[in-house]
Amino acid sequence: MIERRPILDLISHLMLILGVAIVAFPIYVAFVASTQTPEQAALAPISLIPGDQFFQNYASVIVSGASGNVSVPPVARMMWVSLVSALIIAIGKITISMLSAFAIVYFRFPGRSLFFWMIFVTLMLPVEVRITPTYQVISDFGMLNSYAGLTIPLIASATATFLFRQFFLTVPDELAEAARIDGAGPMRFFKDVLWPLSRTNVIALFVIMFIYGWNQYLWPLLVSTEQSMYPIGIGIKTMIAGGDAAIEWNMVMATLILAMLPPGLVVVVMQKWFVKGLVDSEK
Amino acid sequence: MEKRARFKSAWLPYALVTPQILVTLLFFFWPAAQALYQSVLIQDSFGTTSQFVWFDNFRDLFNDANYLESFKTTAMFSIMVAFFGLSLSLILAVFADRIIKGASVYKTFLIWPYAVSPVVVGVLWLFLMNPTLGVIAHALRNIGVEWNNLLNGTHAMILIVMAAIWKQISYNFLFFLAGLQAIPKSLIEAAAIDGAGPVRRFFTIVFPLLSPTTFFLLVINIVYSFFDTFAIIEATTHGGPGKETEILVYKVFQDGFRGGDLGSSAAQSVVLMVIVITLTVLQFKYVERKVQYS
C-alpha cells in the first residue's frame, strides 16, 4: 500500500465481500435445497433457511441414489467411478509426461525432436474436436464402459511434459555428471535425484490433473453407457433429465454438493500447490 | 537450452517415450486423421458405404445458415464471457492486491469455483434461474423482469454466460492477482510521490503493465468458452430455445452423435481444429514475447 486511505480500504473489503457473496450464493442455495423436503425445494421462492432433511436426503442419495422418477446408481458408486478415473488420469499423466520429458532432456537420440513435436501438437487437438473418431477407436478396442476407456485417451499431456522439461532444464548439470562418475545409471539418477527434486511440481500437477479428471463430462458421456460406470457428473445430468415436474431438486442438490466436495477440498487444502501448478503450467 | 550432461543408451530413451507416444498416436493423431478423412466423405446413416466428395461438406457447411448462425452465437457468447469475466476478476484482484489483512482469506473463498465441474455449474444455475422455482428468477420477477430462459433466447444466453463466468472468475482472479503482485512497487510509489491518485495510477501504470497477462487471459478465456462450456450448455439450454445458444462445439456433438451426420460433424471438427491452432499460435507468440521481457 502506497498511502493510507482508510476509505479505499473499506471499499476494498466491501467489494471483496461482495465478490465472495456472488461466488458463495449459488452454493448456499444448493445446500439449503439439499436439506429440505421435495415439496419445500419446489416452492417458489424457496426458503433460504436450511430444512431438517439433511441426514435423510444425503443418506438416501449416497446409498440408493434416491430418485423416484429417474433411475441412477447410488452416489457412493458414482463418486467411486469419478475418484478412480481422476486418480488414474492424474497419476497416468504425471508418469508418462515425466518419463518422456526425462528422455527428451537427458538423452540425445534419433527422432528426439520428432517425438517432441508430436507431443507438442496434441495441445491443438482437444478431445472436443476429435470426439467421433476417438470414440470409434475406443469402441474398436472394446474399451467402452471401462476405466481404461474413461481415462487412457485423456492421459497424454503436452502441458505436463513441457512443465517437466522446463524444470529438468533448470536442474544443474553437475548433478547428472556426479551421478555418472559415481557409476549410477540413468534410471538410478531419475529415481534418486530427479524424482525427489521434482516433488513440488508433481504435487502441484497432481492437484490440477485430479480436478481435471474429476470434472470430465463430454468424454464419459460417450464412453459410459452402462449405469455402473457413470461418473458423478453424468449421474447429476441424468437426475434432471426427467423434465420440469419430475425433478426432485432436493436430491439433485444433495448430489451436487457431494460431487463438488472432493475437488473443492483438494483446492482449499492444497491451495499453495494448486496455484503453483496452475501458474507454472499455463505460462 | 541444452544439457551438457547426457546419458547414453540405444534403447532406454525410446522405452521412456513409448507410453506417451502410443497414447498420442492412438488417441490424438489417428482420430485427428480420421476426422480429416471423414470430412471429405459422405456416409449413409448406417456408415456402411461412403463416397469421396472433396470439399463438399465444407461448402455445404458454409452455405448452411444454421452453421453461420452458430458461429455468430459462439462469437457473442465468448466475447461476453471474456469481457465480463475479465472485468469482474480484474476489479476483485485490484482490490485484493490493495489490502494486506485478510487477503488470503478472500483468496481462499474466491478460488474454489475452479474445482466445480462445468456440468455441476450448469445444473446449479439452472436451479437458480428456473422460471418456475428459481430464486434469482423470482427476484427478477419482483423487479418486473418476466424471466424465462426456456422461451426467451436472450435469457437463455444470459444464463449460460453467467454460469460460464461464475466458473471462470477464480482462474482469471488468480492470474490477475499474480500479475499485479509482480509489478514493481517502486514504479507505483514514484507515481504516488508525483501526486497521481490510485485511479490515475491504475490507468497509466498498472493496467499497461498488466496487458500481457490480460492478453494471455483473453486467449485462455476464448478457448474456455469455445470448448470447455459444452457441459454447461448440455445441462442448461441444450442449445435452445430454437438454436439460440448452440455454440460450435455443441453443434459438432449434436450433428455427429445425435443427428448421425458424420461428414458434416467431421468438417465442423476440422474448422474447430483450425480455430484452436490459431489460438494456440497466438498464445505461444505471447509466451515468446514474455520471455524476452524478463
Side-chain angles (χ1 to χ4, degrees):
Chain A
M1 203 174 1
I2 311 299
E3 67 266 78
R4 291 187 56 79
R5 284 183 191 246
I7 296 196
L8 206 51
D9 281 355
L10 186 70
I11 296 174
S12 304
H13 282 286
L14 287 177
M15 286 301 291
L16 286 167
I17 289 170
L18 188 69
V20 170
I22 292 172
V23 163
F25 179 72
I27 308 290
Y28 178 74
V29 176
F31 175 74
V32 168
S34 74
T35 61
Q36 297 177 329
T37 61
E39 294 74 29
Q40 284 170 326
L43 272 184
I46 171 185
S47 152
L48 290 179
I49 300 152
D52 56 2
Q53 303 291 306
F54 178 83
F55 290 105
Q56 290 91 319
N57 288 353
Y58 281 83
S60 81
V61 287
I62 291 172
V63 179
S64 56
S67 179
N69 310 299
V70 197
S71 113
V72 276
V75 169
R77 168 68 197 172
M78 297 193 287
M79 301 236 318
W80 174 252
V81 174
S82 288
L83 180 72
V84 173
S85 315
L87 286 174
I88 298 176
I89 289 173
I91 296 171
K93 265 181 190 284
I94 290 171
T95 311
I96 70 171
S97 335
M98 219 176 160
L99 292 178
S100 41
F102 177 56
I104 284 164
V105 172
Y106 281 95
F107 292 89
R108 174 168 285 174
F109 54 102
R112 174 168 161 266
S113 57
L114 172 74
F115 290 136
F116 184 71
W117 179 84
M118 280 173 67
I119 297 167
F120 175 80
V121 170
T122 59
L123 266 184
M124 301 173 188
L125 305 170
V127 72
E128 286 80 3
V129 306
R130 53 186 164 90
I131 39 173
T132 325
T134 314
Y135 172 82
Q136 205 60 52
V137 174
I138 289 293
S139 115
D140 290 347
F141 282 147
M143 277 162 40
L144 294 176
N145 293 306
S146 71
Y147 285 112
L150 275 171
T151 57
I152 296 174
L154 304 173
I155 265 178
S157 176
T159 333
T161 313
F162 286 123
L163 184 65
F164 281 119
R165 175 178 169 268
Q166 293 308 107
F167 174 69
F168 290 161
L169 287 172
T170 66
V171 172
D173 279 347
E174 288 75 14
L175 287 176
E177 276 162 10
R180 264 213 327 232
I181 292 164
D182 288 351
M187 288 325 283
R188 183 70 186 270
F189 169 73
F190 182 82
K191 179 173 149 279
D192 289 347
V193 180
L194 275 189
W195 172 252
L197 285 175
S198 316
R199 201 165 292 156
T200 332
N201 287 295
V202 169
I203 297 172
L205 259 184
F206 178 83
V207 177
I208 305 283
M209 298 309 178
F210 178 84
I211 295 168
Y212 165 85
W214 182 279
N215 289 347
Q216 282 305 314
Y217 178 76
L218 177 55
W219 186 242
L221 187 65
L222 306 180
V223 176
S224 298
T225 50
E226 277 166 24
Q227 292 212 341
S228 63
M229 287 308 285
Y230 274 10
I232 188 84
I234 306 291
I236 290 174
K237 181 66 211 329
T238 313
M239 289 173 96
I240 65 160
D244 220 15
I247 301 170
E248 292 174 297
W249 283 106
N250 58 335
M251 297 303 188
V252 175
M253 291 299 139
T255 311
L256 199 135
I257 296 280
L258 288 169
M260 62 179 122
L261 272 183
L265 275 179
V266 167
V267 163
V268 172
V269 174
M270 318 260 287
Q271 213 185 116
K272 196 179 102 200
W273 288 283
F274 162 67
V275 175
K276 187 182 159 27
L278 202 63
V279 176
D280 280 356
S281 63
E282 298 292 353
K283 256 203 294 230
Chain B
M1 199 157 70
E2 291 282 326
K3 282 269 170 201
R4 270 187 298 123
R6 284 216 178 78
F7 294 99
K8 282 200 179 68
S9 167
W11 60 273
L12 187 61
Y14 294 102
L16 291 169
V17 293
T18 299
Q20 174 107 324
I21 293 299
L22 265 184
V23 173
T24 308
L25 281 175
L26 281 178
F27 300 111
F28 286 79
F29 281 94
W30 176 246
Q34 284 288 315
L36 279 174
Y37 178 58
Q38 273 169 7
S39 72
V40 292
L41 294 181
I42 289 183
Q43 285 185 327
D44 66 44
S45 44
F46 304 102
T48 43
T49 59
S50 54
Q51 195 193 346
F52 183 73
V53 292
W54 289 103
F55 297 110
D56 283 8
N57 286 323
F58 291 94
R59 204 193 52 213
D60 293 349
L61 207 54
F62 284 99
N63 284 327
D64 177 6
N66 277 334
Y67 190 64
L68 299 177
E69 204 48 49
S70 172
F71 249 101
K72 248 194 262 169
T73 310
T74 313
M76 250 231 314
F77 173 66
S78 49
I79 289 170
M80 288 202 284
V81 170
F83 180 77
F84 291 110
L86 288 180
S87 321
L88 202 59
S89 328
L90 179 60
I91 293 172
L92 289 173
V94 167
F95 285 119
D97 184 46
R98 251 197 82 77
I99 59 169
I100 297 161
K101 270 190 205 143
S104 64
V105 178
Y106 290 124
K107 201 166 130 186
T108 306
F109 275 107
L110 286 171
I111 65 172
W112 56 268
Y114 178 88
V116 183
S117 71
V119 61
V120 166
V121 173
V123 173
L124 195 57
W125 282 85
L126 188 67
F127 181 60
L128 292 170
M129 307 295 282
N130 186 302
T132 47
L133 53 87
V135 183
I136 299 181
H138 189 81
L140 285 172
R141 199 160 302 133
N142 283 345
I143 58 166
V145 180
E146 225 16 80
W147 180 267
N148 195 335
N149 54 272
L150 299 174
L151 298 175
N152 184 319
T154 313
H155 290 180
M157 181 56 98
I158 294 173
L159 170 65
I160 59 173
V161 168
M162 287 207 299
I165 290 176
W166 184 82
K167 160 127 188 81
Q168 192 67 358
I169 281 181
S170 42
Y171 187 94
N172 298 338
F173 171 78
L174 280 177
F175 276 89
F176 273 134
L177 192 59
L180 285 168
Q181 287 173 345
I183 293 175
K185 290 284 167 282
S186 55
L187 275 177
I188 297 170
E189 276 160 16
I193 291 167
D194 287 347
V199 177
R200 176 115 187 251
R201 287 202 302 266
F202 177 78
F203 284 106
T204 54
I205 300 174
V206 175
F207 193 68
L209 284 175
L210 216 52
S211 61
T213 310
T214 313
F215 178 68
F216 165 76
L217 283 177
L218 186 68
V219 175
I220 293 286
N221 275 269
I222 291 173
V223 174
Y224 161 78
S225 47
F226 263 64
F227 299 103
D228 293 339
T229 48
F230 173 85
I232 293 180
I233 291 165
E234 165 78 1
T236 53
T237 65
H238 294 279
K243 289 183 175 301
E244 301 203 47
T245 54
E246 193 175 65
I247 65 166
L248 293 169
V249 166
Y250 198 76
K251 196 169 161 56
V252 172
F253 177 78
Q254 197 80 334
D255 292 355
F257 269 84
R258 300 221 167 109
D261 188 351
L262 289 177
S264 171
S265 171
Q268 292 180 36
S269 296
V270 173
V271 174
L272 276 177
M273 238 184 276
V274 172
I275 296 174
V276 192
I277 291 171
T278 316
L279 289 169
T280 312
V281 170
L282 268 177
Q283 215 174 307
F284 271 84
K285 276 250 158 75
Y286 154 82
V287 172
E288 234 166 69
R289 272 224 320 258
K290 193 175 168 195
V291 171
Q292 281 166 3
Y293 286 162
S294 57

